[in-house]
């Protein structure tokens, strides 16, 4: 590991907006619930005094945190948490959040499949999945972030969506149309209601920005894809309370 990365990792340990699982050797191994991210389970909404009533919003596979930062700026009353396992990527987003003074933006270094260890059932209002690896080979389906095993995790963490459209939302942005179509099918099968979808988001850009400006936030990768002429697909699905009752 490079010296620069080691320095960054040490810096993040001191930053208030970064959470990493820590181990207690004195207890024979395992997580320290008091100071690690598991100690925040069920309490993420209390992390920021300025975030009142906006709920908890996650970006999964956040990379350098472009979308996490954009969501935190756009949703000042929400606690926004970017999740990624790559510490070097998180450093960039966490550093930018501190420089911008975004006190409602946080970063969690963890694998997506471990989210139930850190978030309580029904604690999350929105989940954003932005430009994940599509894993086109059939043998890698279980690695897709919209595969059935991951959707079951999201299903537990998300609040049921109220009839006013708040809560329980799962968003996807991707430049892979095949992955988009796969995600639509699997989300429906998992009991999510598709409330908005398009295979050309910026073909309806004006309407998209008017209805939900968060859809128009662009990551570094997204800007690159658009410059290459690729179309961006978008899906919003909701975990409706009536669907939970039926299931």
């Amino acid at each position: 590991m490079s010296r620069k990365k080691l320095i960054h990792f040490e810096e993040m340990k001191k930053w208030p907006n970064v959470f990493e699982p820590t181990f207690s050797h004195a207890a024979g191994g395992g997580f320290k619930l008091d100071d690690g991210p598991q100690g925040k389970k069920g309490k993420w909404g209390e992390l920021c005094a300025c975030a009142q009533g906006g709920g908890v919003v996650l970006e999964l596979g956040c990379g350098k945190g472009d979308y996490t930062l954009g969501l935190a700026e756009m949703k000042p009353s929400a606690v926004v948490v970017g999740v990624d396992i790559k510490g070097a990527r998180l450093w960039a987003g966490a550093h930018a959040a501190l420089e911008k003074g975004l006190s409602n933006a946080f970063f969690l270094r963890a694998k997506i499949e471990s989210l139930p260890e850190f978030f309580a059932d029904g604690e999350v209002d929105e989940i954003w999945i932005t430009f994940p690896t599509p894993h086109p080979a059939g043998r890698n389906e279980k690695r897709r972030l919209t595969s059935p095993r991951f959707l079951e995790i999201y299903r537990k963490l998300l609040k049921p969506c109220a009839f006013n459209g708040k809560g329980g939302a799962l968003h996807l942005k991707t430049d892979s149309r095949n992955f988009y179509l796969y995600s639509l099918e699997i989300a429906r099968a998992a009991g999510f209601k598709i409330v908005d979808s398009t295979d050309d988001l910026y073909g309806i850009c004006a309407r998209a920005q008017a209805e939900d400006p968060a859809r128009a936030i662009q990551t570094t990768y997204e800007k690159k894809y658009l410059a290459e002429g690729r179309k961006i697909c978008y899906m919003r699905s909701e975990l409706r309370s009536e669907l939970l009752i039926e299931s």
Side-chain angles (χ1 to χ4, degrees), residues 7-189:
I7 292 174
H8 285 175
F9 290 160
E10 287 302 312
E11 288 177 339
M12 286 196 297
K13 290 179 181 179
K14 303 174 184 178
W15 290 350
N17 62 344
V18 178
F19 296 96
E20 297 185 70
T22 54
F23 294 88
S24 172
H25 297 292
F31 292 105
K32 293 165 64 177
L33 300 183
D34 53 347
D35 58 0
Q38 287 172 306
K40 306 295 183 291
K41 188 172 182 176
K43 302 176 182 179
W44 287 92
E46 304 171 9
L47 280 179
C48 179
C50 70
Q52 298 294 329
V56 177
V57 180
L58 306 185
E59 185 201 358
L60 307 185
C62 68
K64 295 182 179 180
D66 292 339
Y67 228 91
T68 299
L69 298 175
L71 289 170
E73 290 177 321
M74 193 168 290
K75 300 174 181 286
S77 63
V79 168
V80 183
V81 185
V83 182
D84 206 299
I85 193 60
K86 300 290 186 180
R89 297 175 183 173
L90 289 184
W91 181 92
H95 183 263
L98 292 175
E99 285 195 324
K100 290 174 175 285
L102 292 172
S103 59
N104 65 325
F106 299 89
F107 294 85
L108 169 64
R109 188 179 182 187
K111 292 183 177 180
I112 306 304
E113 52 266 39
S114 69
L115 286 178
E117 297 180 25
F118 310 115
F119 296 91
D121 289 359
E123 183 174 11
V124 178
D125 292 79
E126 292 183 68
I127 293 176
W128 285 81
I129 303 174
T130 57
F131 302 94
T133 303
H135 296 294
R139 65 180 180 277
N140 289 326
E141 179 185 2
K142 66 179 182 180
R143 300 176 65 187
R144 299 171 189 165
L145 290 187
T146 55
S147 66
R149 74 177 184 124
F150 284 113
L151 287 178
E152 184 58 28
I153 293 173
Y154 310 152
R155 183 181 176 88
K156 292 178 180 178
L157 300 185
L158 283 168
K159 293 178 181 178
C161 183
F163 289 102
N164 61 6
K166 294 183 178 180
L170 174 64
H171 305 264
L172 169 71
K173 288 179 77 174
T174 177
D175 63 308
S176 170
R177 190 170 187 274
N178 287 337
F179 180 72
Y180 159 74
L181 293 174
Y182 165 86
S183 300
L184 286 174
E185 178 183 350
I186 299 301
R188 288 192 183 99

